[in-house]
Structures are given as structure tokens and as C-alpha cells.
Amino acid sequence: MKIVVLEADSVGRDVSWEPLGEYGEVSLYDATPQELVAERIQDADIVVPNKCILNESNLAGAKNLKMICEAATGYNNIDVDYCREHQIPVSNVKAYSTDVVAQHTFALLLSLYEKLDYYTTYVEDGDYSASASFSHVARQFHELAGKCYGIIGMGNIGRKVAQIATAFGCKVIYYSPSGNTYDVPYQRVEFEDLLAWSDVISIHTPLTERTKGLMNKDAFARMKRTAMLINVARGPIVVEADLVRAIEDCEIAAAGLDVFETEPLPIQSPLRQVNNRDRLILTPHVAWGSIEARTRVVEDICKSVKAYLDGEPRSLVY
């Protein structure tokens, strides 16, 4: 078997792909420009992408292709309809980053909620040392206890976030873009109610036609002026230009983003022009990226390859 890993660096250079070698001859590429995908997969039996787009234009030439193993949970970079038509099974990696994405959700939220950038700068710049007071509470912040926490998407990550929010003393509500009702002890609400009632909204739903641009100008206008938004799901769910306007016009209090409409974030992005760091925090699509989670990605791909070779495919997306 020839196994081609198109974006080995996607899991970091501190994670080894060596275990995959047990199942075939592995060709590792740190990264693959889109124009080189067809060439690199043309003799492959199994392809492991992450963000590279796989569609008819490059898959048609991969005559030996037997399986695609997405090195992530989201697989919108793969033309699943083409793969189904040509009987190419596609697997993804499920639930490998639930704990750390939930953890990062609250890292972003708590940093914003408690104005940590302002307060750490106050100490680092020497202002605290020069103060006559033992404390300094010039920037108002609040407790999460008693607040309404709105979740968009109640999958594995949404449920973990709900558990943590409950532990902080929040009332949890959720909106289901898919229309599904889940067996969870939280109230399902319509989107308009989630916007109007929530003190915090965090996004944990896949990017679909339903969710693309969901958080836009109209949505921000319906939120509380004191509310905060966290997006650790997919960038295009939030219309970034509308978010910038909402922050600058004080329609919402603050936002924390780990994902963006275009990645890497363009240097000219309006998000980088928001000067008040108390109201916007940006991280480089790292919510999923603990060493434990990244190691699980490779381990899970190995399990999927082995299962396929054993005639018992797992984690298939169709």
C-alpha cells in the first residue's frame, strides 16, 4: 500500500507519523500546495489530507485510490459526492479534541470576561508597583455564575462546554442549526431567543450552508450589548466585517476567535485593526492543538487504515 500524507505539519513536528508505516509505504509532505495535489496522489492507495481540497479535478487521476483518511473532524475540503459515486470510502477523526477545544473556549472567554490583558499589562508596565493601593479594579468585570450561556451546536464539544458552563453556575441554552433535539438537560431554543437571552454565545457547529454567515449584522444587532461571542468552530460562520462593526459600535461587549474566514488570517484583515484588546482576542486556529489531541489524530488514522485493511472500515463519513 502506498500512503500519501499531504500535510504532515498539520499535526505539528513534535508528533510522529512513524506508526503509519506499519500499514504501507508512507510518503510524507510537510505541506502541499493545491496545484501539486494531483501529482502527489496519482499513485496513492490511501491519501491523508487535512485542508487540501480533494475533488474530481485531482481525484480522477488517482487510479489506485482506495481510501481517504481526513486528518480532522471537518471534511468539507473533500468532494464526498464524487467519492461516493466512485466507491472511495472517506473517514475522519472524531472526538479527538473535545476536551481541549472546550478548554480553549473558556481560556478565551475568561481572558475577555476578566479583562486579563488590561490587568496583566497594568502590572507589567509598573503601574501597580507605583500605586498606593493594594488592588486595582478600574476595569469592571463580572461573574459567570447566574449568567445565560448560549451554545450553537450540541455535539460532543457543545456538551462538554455546557457541562463546564454549568459548573460555573450558568444557565445553559442551545440552538441546533440542524434542527435536531438532543437528550441533554439543557433548553433548546430558537436562534432569535438564543441571541436575545445569552450573556455568552459560543459556536460549536460544523460549517454548512445553514451555518455559513449565521453570525452576521442582524444577529449582532439582536444580542445583548453586554454579551460576548466565542468562535472555535469554523471561521465563515461569523461575518468578520460585521463583527468588527458590532465591536466598534458597542453592539456586543467582546469576542474571542480561534478560526477565521481565511486562514492564515490576512495581514490586512479588519480584525487586526481593532485596537482595544480588552474586547477582542484572536488565536491561530489552535483550540484543537494540545499535544495529546494531535497525537490522537495520528493514532486514529492508523486505526482507520488498519480497519480498512481488515475489511471492517470505521469512522466513515458516508
Side-chain angles (χ1 to χ4, degrees), residues 45-100:
D45 294 292
I46 296 175
V47 173
V48 182
N50 182 281
K51 292 291 183 289
C52 284
I53 296 172
L54 297 181
N55 55 26
E56 184 175 4
S57 67
N58 46 49
L59 293 174
K63 303 300 184 183
N64 299 331
L65 188 59
K66 300 175 178 63
M67 185 181 189
I68 298 172
C69 296
E70 177 76 23
T73 300
Y75 52 89
N76 53 294
N77 56 310
I78 300 173
D79 186 342
V80 174
D81 291 335
Y82 177 91
C83 293
R84 183 185 294 109
E85 180 182 346
H86 291 82
Q87 298 183 324
I88 303 168
V90 178
S91 70
N92 68 341
V93 183
K94 297 179 175 69
Y96 71 95
S97 62
T98 299
D99 290 338
V100 71

Side-chain angles (χ1 to χ4, degrees), residues 1-6 20-29 37-48 62-69 305 308-309:
M1 300 289 288
K2 181 174 182 180
I3 304 170
V4 176
V5 179
L6 292 172
L20 198 56
E22 181 179 342
Y23 307 103
E25 174 193 345
V26 180
S27 296
L28 287 178
Y29 296 99
V37 171
E39 175 186 334
R40 291 182 175 179
I41 70 171
Q42 61 183 345
D43 297 324
D45 294 292
I46 296 175
V47 173
V48 182
K63 303 300 184 183
N64 299 331
L65 188 59
K66 300 175 178 63
M67 185 181 189
I68 298 172
C69 296
V305 171
Y308 170 76
L309 295 177

Side-chain angles (χ1 to χ4, degrees), residues 239-251:
V239 180
E240 292 173 357
D242 292 351
L243 174 62
V244 169
R245 282 193 292 271
I247 291 174
E248 291 179 341
D249 294 345
C250 297
E251 285 190 325

Side-chain angles (χ1 to χ4, degrees), residues 147-217:
K147 301 301 187 294
C148 182
Y149 196 113
I151 296 175
I152 299 176
M154 193 49 75
N156 290 331
I157 295 173
R159 295 181 195 194
K160 186 72 175 183
V161 168
Q163 292 171 7
I164 298 170
T166 300
F168 272 109
C170 297
K171 175 187 177 181
V172 174
I173 60 176
Y174 76 97
Y175 165 65
S176 174
S178 67
N180 294 333
T181 298
Y182 297 89
D183 184 18
V184 293
Y186 315 112
Q187 181 183 1
R188 177 186 165 188
V189 299
E190 296 302 320
F191 185 51
E192 292 75 14
D193 292 331
L194 182 112
L195 295 172
W197 299 348
S198 297
D199 297 294
V200 178
I201 295 175
S202 60
I203 304 172
H204 309 287
T205 189
L207 177 63
T208 66
E209 288 304 314
R210 259 191 208 130
T211 61
K212 185 175 182 180
L214 182 69
M215 296 304 301
N216 56 24
K217 180 180 178 180

